[in-house]
Amino acid sequence: MQMAKTQSWATWFSELKAFRRTPGHCRVSPRWPPNPRLARWVVEQRAHYSSLPVEKLKDLYQLGFDFGGK
């Protein structure tokens, strides 16, 4: 699954940070009404774990991102 390049990685990451403020985690439900596309972006980050640049991995880990998807 490849997200359309309508938003940059940094923009999606910012949206994930904003999401995390409320529930305290990065597990975005596909049914999250404000932005269901964010859940697809999260799934894509897990799928591309081995090819993400170190800087992006570091940012995600510091945010508490769960690459196992649980």
Side-chain angles (χ1 to χ4, degrees):
M1 169 175 21
Q2 184 81 340
M3 289 293 296
K5 298 292 181 184
T6 56
Q7 290 183 282
S8 71
W9 192 92
T11 301
W12 284 113
F13 183 72
S14 292
E15 290 189 29
L16 181 62
K17 283 179 15 181
F19 169 85
R20 187 181 183 284
R21 284 186 204 114
T22 300
H25 60 74
C26 298
R27 296 179 309 273
V28 184
S29 168
R31 295 188 179 127
W32 186 55
N35 191 349
R37 290 182 61 203
L38 181 59
R40 290 191 307 224
W41 182 83
V42 166
V43 168
E44 186 174 285
Q45 300 317 294
R46 288 188 187 111
H48 296 297
Y49 171 79
S50 62
S51 62
L52 286 174
V54 172
E55 294 78 21
K56 290 180 180 178
L57 287 172
K58 181 180 173 184
D59 288 344
L60 289 167
Y61 275 119
Q62 286 179 342
L63 191 60
F65 191 86
D66 178 10
F67 282 96
K70 298 178 182 177

Short mmCIF file of all heavy atoms in Angstrom, two decimals:
data_model
loop_
_atom_site.label_atom_id
_atom_site.label_comp_id
_atom_site.label_asym_id
_atom_site.label_seq_id
_atom_site.Cartn_x
_atom_site.Cartn_y
_atom_site.Cartn_z
N MET A 1 0.86 -1.17 0.00
CA MET A 1 0.00 0.00 0.00
C MET A 1 0.91 1.24 0.00
O MET A 1 1.74 1.40 0.85
CB MET A 1 -0.87 -0.05 1.25
CG MET A 1 -1.61 1.21 1.52
SD MET A 1 -2.76 1.17 2.93
CE MET A 1 -2.27 -0.14 3.96
N GLN A 2 0.72 2.10 -0.95
CA GLN A 2 1.54 3.30 -1.08
C GLN A 2 0.64 4.52 -0.92
O GLN A 2 -0.30 4.70 -1.67
CB GLN A 2 2.23 3.30 -2.43
CG GLN A 2 3.17 4.44 -2.65
CD GLN A 2 4.53 4.20 -2.00
OE1 GLN A 2 4.69 3.39 -1.11
NE2 GLN A 2 5.50 4.91 -2.45
N MET A 3 0.93 5.35 0.08
CA MET A 3 0.12 6.54 0.30
C MET A 3 0.38 7.54 -0.82
O MET A 3 1.49 7.67 -1.29
CB MET A 3 0.49 7.22 1.62
CG MET A 3 0.06 6.46 2.86
SD MET A 3 -1.72 6.38 3.09
CE MET A 3 -2.11 8.09 3.31
N ALA A 4 -0.65 8.22 -1.22
CA ALA A 4 -0.49 9.28 -2.21
C ALA A 4 0.44 10.35 -1.64
O ALA A 4 0.44 10.61 -0.45
CB ALA A 4 -1.84 9.88 -2.55
N LYS A 5 1.22 10.94 -2.48
CA LYS A 5 2.19 11.94 -2.04
C LYS A 5 1.54 13.30 -1.83
O LYS A 5 2.14 14.32 -2.08
CB LYS A 5 3.33 12.05 -3.05
CG LYS A 5 4.12 10.78 -3.22
CD LYS A 5 4.89 10.48 -1.96
CE LYS A 5 5.70 9.22 -2.14
NZ LYS A 5 6.39 8.81 -0.96
N THR A 6 0.30 13.29 -1.36
CA THR A 6 -0.39 14.56 -1.13
C THR A 6 0.12 15.27 0.12
O THR A 6 -0.03 16.47 0.25
CB THR A 6 -1.91 14.35 -1.00
OG1 THR A 6 -2.15 13.41 0.05
CG2 THR A 6 -2.50 13.84 -2.31
N GLN A 7 0.70 14.52 1.03
CA GLN A 7 1.25 15.11 2.25
C GLN A 7 2.65 14.54 2.46
O GLN A 7 2.92 13.39 2.17
CB GLN A 7 0.39 14.77 3.46
CG GLN A 7 -0.95 15.47 3.46
CD GLN A 7 -1.72 15.15 4.71
OE1 GLN A 7 -2.30 14.09 4.82
NE2 GLN A 7 -1.74 16.08 5.65
N SER A 8 3.52 15.35 3.01
CA SER A 8 4.88 14.91 3.28
C SER A 8 4.91 14.02 4.51
O SER A 8 3.98 14.01 5.33
CB SER A 8 5.79 16.12 3.49
OG SER A 8 5.48 16.74 4.73
N TRP A 9 6.02 13.29 4.66
CA TRP A 9 6.20 12.45 5.84
C TRP A 9 6.11 13.30 7.10
O TRP A 9 5.47 12.90 8.08
CB TRP A 9 7.56 11.74 5.77
CG TRP A 9 7.70 10.65 6.77
CD1 TRP A 9 7.41 9.33 6.60
CD2 TRP A 9 8.16 10.78 8.13
NE1 TRP A 9 7.64 8.64 7.75
CE2 TRP A 9 8.11 9.50 8.72
CE3 TRP A 9 8.60 11.85 8.90
CZ2 TRP A 9 8.49 9.27 10.03
CZ3 TRP A 9 8.97 11.61 10.22
CH2 TRP A 9 8.92 10.33 10.77
N ALA A 10 6.73 14.46 7.07
CA ALA A 10 6.72 15.35 8.24
C ALA A 10 5.30 15.77 8.61
O ALA A 10 4.96 15.87 9.80
CB ALA A 10 7.59 16.57 7.98
N THR A 11 4.46 15.99 7.63
CA THR A 11 3.07 16.38 7.90
C THR A 11 2.32 15.23 8.56
O THR A 11 1.61 15.42 9.54
CB THR A 11 2.36 16.81 6.60
OG1 THR A 11 3.07 17.92 6.05
CG2 THR A 11 0.92 17.20 6.86
N TRP A 12 2.48 14.01 8.01
CA TRP A 12 1.83 12.85 8.61
C TRP A 12 2.35 12.63 10.03
O TRP A 12 1.58 12.31 10.94
CB TRP A 12 2.07 11.59 7.77
CG TRP A 12 1.23 11.55 6.53
CD1 TRP A 12 1.66 11.62 5.25
CD2 TRP A 12 -0.18 11.42 6.46
NE1 TRP A 12 0.60 11.56 4.39
CE2 TRP A 12 -0.55 11.43 5.10
CE3 TRP A 12 -1.18 11.31 7.41
CZ2 TRP A 12 -1.86 11.32 4.68
CZ3 TRP A 12 -2.51 11.19 6.99
CH2 TRP A 12 -2.83 11.21 5.63
N PHE A 13 3.65 12.79 10.23
CA PHE A 13 4.24 12.61 11.56
C PHE A 13 3.64 13.63 12.54
O PHE A 13 3.30 13.28 13.67
CB PHE A 13 5.76 12.73 11.50
CG PHE A 13 6.42 12.49 12.82
CD1 PHE A 13 6.47 11.22 13.36
CD2 PHE A 13 7.00 13.54 13.51
CE1 PHE A 13 7.08 11.00 14.60
CE2 PHE A 13 7.61 13.33 14.74
CZ PHE A 13 7.65 12.04 15.28
N SER A 14 3.48 14.85 12.10
CA SER A 14 2.85 15.88 12.94
C SER A 14 1.42 15.50 13.31
O SER A 14 0.98 15.71 14.44
CB SER A 14 2.86 17.23 12.24
OG SER A 14 4.16 17.71 12.13
N GLU A 15 0.71 14.93 12.35
CA GLU A 15 -0.66 14.49 12.63
C GLU A 15 -0.67 13.35 13.63
O GLU A 15 -1.54 13.28 14.50
CB GLU A 15 -1.36 14.10 11.33
CG GLU A 15 -1.66 15.31 10.46
CD GLU A 15 -2.53 14.99 9.28
OE1 GLU A 15 -3.35 14.05 9.36
OE2 GLU A 15 -2.40 15.69 8.26
N LEU A 16 0.31 12.45 13.53
CA LEU A 16 0.40 11.36 14.49
C LEU A 16 0.72 11.90 15.88
O LEU A 16 0.15 11.45 16.87
CB LEU A 16 1.46 10.35 14.05
CG LEU A 16 1.65 9.15 14.97
CD1 LEU A 16 0.36 8.32 15.06
CD2 LEU A 16 2.80 8.28 14.45
N LYS A 17 1.61 12.88 15.96
CA LYS A 17 1.93 13.50 17.26
C LYS A 17 0.68 14.13 17.87
O LYS A 17 0.44 14.00 19.07
CB LYS A 17 3.03 14.55 17.10
CG LYS A 17 4.39 13.95 16.95
CD LYS A 17 5.54 14.90 16.78
CE LYS A 17 5.39 16.32 17.09
NZ LYS A 17 6.60 17.12 16.83
N ALA A 18 -0.10 14.80 17.06
CA ALA A 18 -1.33 15.43 17.55
C ALA A 18 -2.32 14.37 18.03
O ALA A 18 -2.96 14.53 19.08
CB ALA A 18 -1.96 16.28 16.44
N PHE A 19 -2.43 13.28 17.28
CA PHE A 19 -3.31 12.18 17.69
C PHE A 19 -2.88 11.62 19.04
O PHE A 19 -3.70 11.39 19.92
CB PHE A 19 -3.28 11.06 16.63
CG PHE A 19 -3.94 9.79 17.09
CD1 PHE A 19 -5.30 9.62 16.98
CD2 PHE A 19 -3.18 8.77 17.67
CE1 PHE A 19 -5.91 8.44 17.43
CE2 PHE A 19 -3.78 7.60 18.12
CZ PHE A 19 -5.15 7.45 18.00
N ARG A 20 -1.58 11.41 19.21
CA ARG A 20 -1.03 10.77 20.42
C ARG A 20 -1.32 11.57 21.69
O ARG A 20 -1.42 11.01 22.78
CB ARG A 20 0.47 10.58 20.28
CG ARG A 20 1.08 9.77 21.41
CD ARG A 20 2.58 9.64 21.23
NE ARG A 20 3.15 8.81 22.27
CZ ARG A 20 3.35 9.19 23.53
NH1 ARG A 20 3.00 10.40 23.92
NH2 ARG A 20 3.90 8.37 24.40
N ARG A 21 -1.49 12.86 21.57
CA ARG A 21 -1.73 13.70 22.75
C ARG A 21 -2.98 13.27 23.52
O ARG A 21 -3.01 13.35 24.74
CB ARG A 21 -1.86 15.16 22.35
CG ARG A 21 -0.55 15.79 22.04
CD ARG A 21 -0.69 17.29 21.79
NE ARG A 21 0.42 17.72 20.96
CZ ARG A 21 0.31 18.17 19.72
NH1 ARG A 21 -0.87 18.31 19.16
NH2 ARG A 21 1.38 18.51 19.05
N THR A 22 -3.99 12.82 22.81
CA THR A 22 -5.25 12.47 23.48
C THR A 22 -5.23 11.06 24.07
O THR A 22 -5.41 10.91 25.27
CB THR A 22 -6.44 12.65 22.51
OG1 THR A 22 -6.47 14.01 22.12
CG2 THR A 22 -7.75 12.30 23.19
N PRO A 23 -5.00 10.01 23.25
CA PRO A 23 -5.07 8.67 23.85
C PRO A 23 -3.77 8.23 24.52
O PRO A 23 -3.75 7.25 25.25
CB PRO A 23 -5.41 7.77 22.68
CG PRO A 23 -4.77 8.44 21.51
CD PRO A 23 -4.91 9.92 21.80
N GLY A 24 -2.65 8.91 24.21
CA GLY A 24 -1.37 8.53 24.80
C GLY A 24 -0.68 7.39 24.10
O GLY A 24 0.25 6.80 24.64
N HIS A 25 -1.14 7.06 22.90
CA HIS A 25 -0.50 6.00 22.11
C HIS A 25 -0.58 6.35 20.63
O HIS A 25 -1.21 7.34 20.26
CB HIS A 25 -1.14 4.63 22.38
CG HIS A 25 -2.61 4.58 22.04
ND1 HIS A 25 -3.07 4.56 20.74
CD2 HIS A 25 -3.70 4.59 22.83
CE1 HIS A 25 -4.39 4.52 20.75
NE2 HIS A 25 -4.80 4.55 22.02
N CYS A 26 0.06 5.52 19.80
CA CYS A 26 0.11 5.78 18.35
C CYS A 26 -0.69 4.75 17.55
O CYS A 26 -0.47 4.59 16.35
CB CYS A 26 1.56 5.77 17.87
SG CYS A 26 2.57 7.05 18.61
N ARG A 27 -1.60 4.05 18.20
CA ARG A 27 -2.40 3.03 17.52
C ARG A 27 -3.68 3.68 16.98
O ARG A 27 -4.71 3.68 17.64
CB ARG A 27 -2.72 1.89 18.47
CG ARG A 27 -1.47 1.15 18.93
CD ARG A 27 -1.79 0.02 19.91
NE ARG A 27 -2.62 0.41 21.03
CZ ARG A 27 -2.18 0.91 22.18
NH1 ARG A 27 -0.89 1.08 22.38
NH2 ARG A 27 -3.03 1.22 23.15
N VAL A 28 -3.59 4.18 15.78
CA VAL A 28 -4.71 4.90 15.17
C VAL A 28 -5.70 3.90 14.56
O VAL A 28 -5.33 3.08 13.73
CB VAL A 28 -4.21 5.86 14.07
CG1 VAL A 28 -5.37 6.67 13.51
CG2 VAL A 28 -3.11 6.77 14.60
N SER A 29 -6.94 3.99 14.97
CA SER A 29 -7.98 3.12 14.43
C SER A 29 -8.34 3.56 13.01
O SER A 29 -8.46 4.76 12.75
CB SER A 29 -9.23 3.20 15.31
OG SER A 29 -10.33 2.59 14.66
N PRO A 30 -8.56 2.60 12.12
CA PRO A 30 -9.01 2.96 10.77
C PRO A 30 -10.36 3.68 10.78
O PRO A 30 -10.73 4.32 9.82
CB PRO A 30 -9.14 1.63 10.04
CG PRO A 30 -8.42 0.64 10.87
CD PRO A 30 -8.35 1.18 12.27
N ARG A 31 -11.06 3.58 11.87
CA ARG A 31 -12.37 4.22 11.99
C ARG A 31 -12.31 5.53 12.77
O ARG A 31 -13.35 6.06 13.17
CB ARG A 31 -13.35 3.27 12.66
CG ARG A 31 -13.60 2.06 11.79
CD ARG A 31 -14.70 1.22 12.36
NE ARG A 31 -14.93 0.10 11.48
CZ ARG A 31 -14.94 -1.16 11.85
NH1 ARG A 31 -14.78 -1.46 13.13
NH2 ARG A 31 -15.13 -2.11 10.99
N TRP A 32 -11.10 6.05 12.98
CA TRP A 32 -10.97 7.32 13.70
C TRP A 32 -11.53 8.43 12.83
O TRP A 32 -10.96 8.78 11.79
CB TRP A 32 -9.50 7.55 14.06
CG TRP A 32 -9.26 8.73 14.92
CD1 TRP A 32 -9.84 8.99 16.13
CD2 TRP A 32 -8.38 9.81 14.66
NE1 TRP A 32 -9.36 10.17 16.63
CE2 TRP A 32 -8.47 10.70 15.75
CE3 TRP A 32 -7.52 10.12 13.63
CZ2 TRP A 32 -7.73 11.86 15.82
CZ3 TRP A 32 -6.79 11.27 13.69
CH2 TRP A 32 -6.89 12.13 14.78
N PRO A 33 -12.68 8.98 13.19
CA PRO A 33 -13.39 9.92 12.32
C PRO A 33 -12.60 11.13 11.83
O PRO A 33 -12.72 11.49 10.66
CB PRO A 33 -14.59 10.35 13.15
CG PRO A 33 -14.78 9.26 14.14
CD PRO A 33 -13.40 8.72 14.42
N PRO A 34 -11.80 11.79 12.66
CA PRO A 34 -11.13 12.98 12.15
C PRO A 34 -10.17 12.73 10.98
O PRO A 34 -9.96 13.62 10.17
CB PRO A 34 -10.38 13.52 13.36
CG PRO A 34 -11.11 12.99 14.53
CD PRO A 34 -11.59 11.63 14.10
N ASN A 35 -9.57 11.53 10.93
CA ASN A 35 -8.60 11.30 9.85
C ASN A 35 -8.33 9.80 9.67
O ASN A 35 -7.29 9.30 10.10
CB ASN A 35 -7.30 12.04 10.15
CG ASN A 35 -6.36 12.05 8.95
OD1 ASN A 35 -6.57 11.36 7.98
ND2 ASN A 35 -5.31 12.84 9.04
N PRO A 36 -9.21 9.08 9.00
CA PRO A 36 -8.99 7.64 8.79
C PRO A 36 -7.75 7.35 7.94
O PRO A 36 -7.18 6.27 8.04
CB PRO A 36 -10.27 7.16 8.12
CG PRO A 36 -10.97 8.37 7.65
CD PRO A 36 -10.48 9.53 8.46
N ARG A 37 -7.31 8.29 7.15
CA ARG A 37 -6.10 8.08 6.33
C ARG A 37 -4.84 8.00 7.19
O ARG A 37 -3.86 7.40 6.79
CB ARG A 37 -5.96 9.19 5.30
CG ARG A 37 -7.04 9.09 4.21
CD ARG A 37 -6.88 10.14 3.15
NE ARG A 37 -5.59 9.97 2.50
CZ ARG A 37 -4.96 10.93 1.85
NH1 ARG A 37 -5.50 12.13 1.77
NH2 ARG A 37 -3.81 10.72 1.28
N LEU A 38 -4.89 8.60 8.38
CA LEU A 38 -3.74 8.53 9.27
C LEU A 38 -3.46 7.08 9.65
O LEU A 38 -2.30 6.67 9.74
CB LEU A 38 -3.95 9.39 10.51
CG LEU A 38 -2.80 9.42 11.51
CD1 LEU A 38 -1.51 9.95 10.87
CD2 LEU A 38 -3.18 10.27 12.72
N ALA A 39 -4.49 6.30 9.86
CA ALA A 39 -4.32 4.87 10.18
C ALA A 39 -3.59 4.16 9.05
O ALA A 39 -2.72 3.32 9.30
CB ALA A 39 -5.66 4.21 10.45
N ARG A 40 -3.92 4.47 7.82
CA ARG A 40 -3.22 3.85 6.68
C ARG A 40 -1.75 4.25 6.66
O ARG A 40 -0.89 3.44 6.35
CB ARG A 40 -3.89 4.23 5.37
CG ARG A 40 -5.25 3.57 5.22
CD ARG A 40 -5.79 3.72 3.83
NE ARG A 40 -5.79 5.12 3.42
CZ ARG A 40 -6.77 5.72 2.79
NH1 ARG A 40 -7.86 5.07 2.48
NH2 ARG A 40 -6.70 6.99 2.45
N TRP A 41 -1.46 5.50 6.99
CA TRP A 41 -0.07 5.95 7.04
C TRP A 41 0.70 5.18 8.12
O TRP A 41 1.83 4.76 7.91
CB TRP A 41 -0.01 7.46 7.30
CG TRP A 41 1.38 8.00 7.31
CD1 TRP A 41 2.12 8.36 6.22
CD2 TRP A 41 2.21 8.24 8.45
NE1 TRP A 41 3.36 8.80 6.62
CE2 TRP A 41 3.44 8.74 7.99
CE3 TRP A 41 2.02 8.08 9.82
CZ2 TRP A 41 4.48 9.08 8.84
CZ3 TRP A 41 3.06 8.42 10.67
CH2 TRP A 41 4.28 8.92 10.18
N VAL A 42 0.06 4.98 9.29
CA VAL A 42 0.68 4.22 10.37
C VAL A 42 1.00 2.79 9.91
O VAL A 42 2.10 2.29 10.13
CB VAL A 42 -0.22 4.22 11.63
CG1 VAL A 42 0.22 3.19 12.64
CG2 VAL A 42 -0.24 5.61 12.25
N VAL A 43 0.06 2.16 9.24
CA VAL A 43 0.28 0.81 8.72
C VAL A 43 1.44 0.81 7.73
O VAL A 43 2.28 -0.10 7.74
CB VAL A 43 -1.01 0.26 8.05
CG1 VAL A 43 -0.74 -0.99 7.26
CG2 VAL A 43 -2.07 0.01 9.11
N GLU A 44 1.51 1.82 6.91
CA GLU A 44 2.59 1.91 5.92
C GLU A 44 3.96 2.05 6.60
O GLU A 44 4.94 1.46 6.14
CB GLU A 44 2.35 3.08 4.97
CG GLU A 44 3.34 3.13 3.84
CD GLU A 44 3.01 4.21 2.85
OE1 GLU A 44 2.06 4.02 2.07
OE2 GLU A 44 3.71 5.24 2.86
N GLN A 45 4.02 2.80 7.69
CA GLN A 45 5.30 2.94 8.39
C GLN A 45 5.76 1.59 8.94
O GLN A 45 6.94 1.26 8.87
CB GLN A 45 5.19 3.97 9.53
CG GLN A 45 4.79 5.36 9.07
CD GLN A 45 5.49 5.81 7.80
OE1 GLN A 45 6.70 6.00 7.78
NE2 GLN A 45 4.72 5.97 6.73
N ARG A 46 4.82 0.80 9.44
CA ARG A 46 5.18 -0.54 9.93
C ARG A 46 5.65 -1.41 8.77
O ARG A 46 6.62 -2.16 8.92
CB ARG A 46 3.97 -1.18 10.61
CG ARG A 46 3.66 -0.56 11.93
CD ARG A 46 2.59 -1.35 12.68
NE ARG A 46 2.21 -0.60 13.86
CZ ARG A 46 1.03 -0.02 14.03
NH1 ARG A 46 0.10 -0.12 13.11
NH2 ARG A 46 0.78 0.65 15.13
N ALA A 47 4.97 -1.33 7.65
CA ALA A 47 5.33 -2.16 6.50
C ALA A 47 6.70 -1.81 5.94
O ALA A 47 7.40 -2.68 5.40
CB ALA A 47 4.26 -2.02 5.41
N HIS A 48 7.10 -0.56 6.06
CA HIS A 48 8.37 -0.10 5.49
C HIS A 48 9.45 0.08 6.55
O HIS A 48 10.44 0.77 6.32
CB HIS A 48 8.17 1.21 4.73
CG HIS A 48 7.26 1.05 3.55
ND1 HIS A 48 7.56 0.25 2.48
CD2 HIS A 48 6.03 1.57 3.30
CE1 HIS A 48 6.56 0.29 1.61
NE2 HIS A 48 5.63 1.08 2.09
N TYR A 49 9.26 -0.56 7.69
CA TYR A 49 10.20 -0.44 8.81
C TYR A 49 11.66 -0.60 8.37
O TYR A 49 12.51 0.22 8.70
CB TYR A 49 9.85 -1.46 9.89
CG TYR A 49 10.88 -1.57 10.98
CD1 TYR A 49 10.92 -0.63 12.00
CD2 TYR A 49 11.81 -2.60 10.99
CE1 TYR A 49 11.86 -0.71 13.01
CE2 TYR A 49 12.76 -2.69 12.00
CZ TYR A 49 12.78 -1.74 13.00
OH TYR A 49 13.72 -1.81 13.99
N SER A 50 11.95 -1.64 7.62
CA SER A 50 13.35 -1.93 7.25
C SER A 50 13.94 -0.95 6.26
O SER A 50 15.15 -0.89 6.11
CB SER A 50 13.47 -3.35 6.70
OG SER A 50 12.70 -3.48 5.52
N SER A 51 13.11 -0.15 5.62
CA SER A 51 13.64 0.79 4.63
C SER A 51 13.51 2.26 5.06
O SER A 51 13.91 3.14 4.30
CB SER A 51 12.96 0.58 3.28
OG SER A 51 11.57 0.84 3.38
N LEU A 52 12.98 2.50 6.25
CA LEU A 52 12.87 3.89 6.71
C LEU A 52 14.24 4.42 7.11
O LEU A 52 15.04 3.70 7.72
CB LEU A 52 11.93 3.98 7.92
CG LEU A 52 10.45 3.83 7.66
CD1 LEU A 52 9.68 3.80 8.98
CD2 LEU A 52 9.94 4.97 6.79
N PRO A 53 14.52 5.67 6.79
CA PRO A 53 15.77 6.28 7.23
C PRO A 53 15.87 6.31 8.75
O PRO A 53 14.86 6.41 9.46
CB PRO A 53 15.70 7.71 6.67
CG PRO A 53 14.70 7.65 5.57
CD PRO A 53 13.72 6.59 5.97
N VAL A 54 17.07 6.23 9.26
CA VAL A 54 17.32 6.19 10.69
C VAL A 54 16.66 7.37 11.41
O VAL A 54 16.10 7.21 12.50
CB VAL A 54 18.84 6.15 10.98
CG1 VAL A 54 19.13 6.30 12.47
CG2 VAL A 54 19.44 4.88 10.43
N GLU A 55 16.70 8.55 10.83
CA GLU A 55 16.11 9.72 11.46
C GLU A 55 14.61 9.56 11.68
O GLU A 55 14.07 9.95 12.71
CB GLU A 55 16.38 10.99 10.64
CG GLU A 55 17.84 11.38 10.56
CD GLU A 55 18.65 10.54 9.55
OE1 GLU A 55 18.05 9.94 8.63
OE2 GLU A 55 19.87 10.48 9.71
N LYS A 56 13.94 8.99 10.69
CA LYS A 56 12.49 8.78 10.81
C LYS A 56 12.20 7.71 11.85
O LYS A 56 11.26 7.84 12.64
CB LYS A 56 11.89 8.41 9.46
CG LYS A 56 11.89 9.58 8.50
CD LYS A 56 11.30 9.21 7.17
CE LYS A 56 11.33 10.42 6.23
NZ LYS A 56 10.81 10.10 4.90
N LEU A 57 12.99 6.64 11.85
CA LEU A 57 12.81 5.60 12.86
C LEU A 57 12.99 6.18 14.26
O LEU A 57 12.20 5.90 15.17
CB LEU A 57 13.82 4.47 12.64
CG LEU A 57 13.56 3.55 11.46
CD1 LEU A 57 14.75 2.62 11.26
CD2 LEU A 57 12.28 2.76 11.65
N LYS A 58 14.02 7.00 14.43
CA LYS A 58 14.29 7.62 15.72
C LYS A 58 13.10 8.48 16.16
O LYS A 58 12.66 8.40 17.31
CB LYS A 58 15.55 8.47 15.63
CG LYS A 58 15.95 9.14 16.91
CD LYS A 58 17.22 9.96 16.72
CE LYS A 58 17.53 10.76 17.96
NZ LYS A 58 18.70 11.62 17.77
N ASP A 59 12.57 9.28 15.25
CA ASP A 59 11.41 10.13 15.57
C ASP A 59 10.22 9.28 16.01
O ASP A 59 9.56 9.59 17.00
CB ASP A 59 11.01 10.98 14.37
CG ASP A 59 11.99 12.10 14.07
OD1 ASP A 59 12.82 12.43 14.94
OD2 ASP A 59 11.93 12.64 12.95
N LEU A 60 9.96 8.21 15.26
CA LEU A 60 8.83 7.35 15.59
C LEU A 60 9.03 6.65 16.93
O LEU A 60 8.10 6.60 17.76
CB LEU A 60 8.60 6.33 14.47
CG LEU A 60 8.03 6.92 13.18
CD1 LEU A 60 8.14 5.91 12.04
CD2 LEU A 60 6.58 7.35 13.36
N TYR A 61 10.22 6.11 17.17
CA TYR A 61 10.49 5.46 18.46
C TYR A 61 10.35 6.44 19.62
O TYR A 61 9.81 6.10 20.66
CB TYR A 61 11.88 4.83 18.47
CG TYR A 61 11.92 3.43 17.88
CD1 TYR A 61 12.70 3.16 16.77
CD2 TYR A 61 11.17 2.39 18.43
CE1 TYR A 61 12.76 1.89 16.22
CE2 TYR A 61 11.21 1.12 17.88
CZ TYR A 61 12.00 0.87 16.79
OH TYR A 61 12.04 -0.39 16.25
N GLN A 62 10.86 7.65 19.46
CA GLN A 62 10.76 8.65 20.53
C GLN A 62 9.31 9.02 20.83
O GLN A 62 8.97 9.38 21.95
CB GLN A 62 11.56 9.90 20.17
CG GLN A 62 13.06 9.69 20.28
CD GLN A 62 13.85 10.93 19.91
OE1 GLN A 62 13.36 11.84 19.27
NE2 GLN A 62 15.12 10.93 20.32
N LEU A 63 8.47 8.89 19.84
CA LEU A 63 7.05 9.17 20.03
C LEU A 63 6.34 7.99 20.70
O LEU A 63 5.21 8.13 21.17
CB LEU A 63 6.41 9.49 18.67
CG LEU A 63 5.00 10.05 18.67
CD1 LEU A 63 4.92 11.36 19.43
CD2 LEU A 63 4.52 10.24 17.24
N GLY A 64 6.99 6.84 20.74
CA GLY A 64 6.37 5.66 21.33
C GLY A 64 5.66 4.80 20.31
O GLY A 64 4.78 4.01 20.65
N PHE A 65 6.04 4.94 19.04
CA PHE A 65 5.44 4.18 17.94
C PHE A 65 5.70 2.69 18.15
O PHE A 65 6.80 2.28 18.46
CB PHE A 65 6.04 4.65 16.62
CG PHE A 65 5.32 4.13 15.41
CD1 PHE A 65 4.22 4.80 14.92
CD2 PHE A 65 5.76 3.00 14.75
CE1 PHE A 65 3.56 4.35 13.78
CE2 PHE A 65 5.11 2.55 13.62
CZ PHE A 65 4.01 3.21 13.14
N ASP A 66 4.68 1.89 17.94
CA ASP A 66 4.77 0.44 18.08
C ASP A 66 4.87 -0.19 16.70
O ASP A 66 3.87 -0.25 15.99
CB ASP A 66 3.55 -0.08 18.84
CG ASP A 66 3.54 -1.58 19.00
OD1 ASP A 66 4.56 -2.23 18.70
OD2 ASP A 66 2.51 -2.10 19.45
N PHE A 67 6.05 -0.64 16.34
CA PHE A 67 6.22 -1.23 15.02
C PHE A 67 5.61 -2.63 14.92
O PHE A 67 5.45 -3.16 13.84
CB PHE A 67 7.69 -1.26 14.62
CG PHE A 67 8.18 0.08 14.15
CD1 PHE A 67 8.84 0.92 15.02
CD2 PHE A 67 7.96 0.48 12.85
CE1 PHE A 67 9.27 2.18 14.60
CE2 PHE A 67 8.39 1.72 12.42
CZ PHE A 67 9.05 2.57 13.29
N GLY A 68 5.23 -3.20 16.07
CA GLY A 68 4.58 -4.50 16.06
C GLY A 68 3.09 -4.40 15.77
O GLY A 68 2.45 -5.36 15.44
N GLY A 69 2.56 -3.22 15.89
CA GLY A 69 1.15 -2.99 15.57
C GLY A 69 0.18 -3.47 16.63
O GLY A 69 -0.99 -3.63 16.38
N LYS A 70 0.65 -3.70 17.84
CA LYS A 70 -0.23 -4.21 18.89
C LYS A 70 -0.65 -3.10 19.83
O LYS A 70 -0.08 -2.14 20.00
CB LYS A 70 0.47 -5.31 19.66
CG LYS A 70 0.77 -6.46 18.74
CD LYS A 70 1.51 -7.54 19.47
CE LYS A 70 1.83 -8.64 18.47
NZ LYS A 70 2.58 -9.68 18.98
#
